[in-house]
Amino acid sequence: MAAAGTEDDSFGDLCPRCKSAVTRSGGIYQYLRYWHPKCFTCSKCGKPFAAGERAYKAAGEDGVVYHEECMNAVRADEKVQGSASTDDEPKVYFTSFLRAEMTPG
């Protein structure tokens, strides 16, 4: 049996936020990736997500997630500042519920 923190304890995936290895004992699985619990926080306000709360991620933005109200504020800012893209299509946001058993205790 491998000791904690060894290669056998790793998911073989890097956290989208900090880009370091995520271990089985501490990973949160959201948006088809494993995150460290300390890294799975809102990219705007920095607060963690509560169990059952929706987390929003913009398409093409790895390691960036928002609370609903923070996502709405970011979208409003983008609208005021104008889109950086050459087309007029708004960013597509995906949503996911944080399951209770995935929150750190």
Side-chain angles (χ1 to χ4, degrees):
M1 182 169 272
T6 66
E7 187 175 45
D8 291 342
D9 192 35
S10 175
F11 283 117
D13 199 4
L14 300 180
C15 173
R17 177 76 53 88
C18 72
K19 310 296 186 215
S20 64
V22 180
T23 61
R24 293 182 183 185
S25 60
I28 294 175
Y29 189 72
Q30 290 287 292
Y31 298 108
L32 304 176
R33 303 284 299 278
Y34 287 97
W35 302 63
H36 296 113
K38 67 179 180 169
C39 293
F40 195 73
T41 58
C42 180
S43 297
K44 181 161 175 61
C45 71
K47 295 178 184 174
F49 294 87
E53 184 175 13
R54 289 181 188 223
Y56 292 84
K57 177 187 177 306
E61 292 184 359
D62 198 26
V64 179
V65 289
Y66 301 107
H67 292 107
E68 183 172 12
E69 60 275 10
C70 292
M71 183 234 3
N72 289 334
V74 168
R75 291 178 77 182
D77 289 346
E78 289 171 351
K79 193 178 236 183
V80 168
Q81 295 172 2
S83 176
S85 66
T86 56
D87 57 30
D88 291 328
E89 294 295 319
K91 284 185 182 175
V92 175
Y93 286 83
F94 299 98
T95 184
S96 177
F97 286 101
L98 187 62
R99 297 188 330 207
E101 64 269 20
M102 291 196 285
T103 59

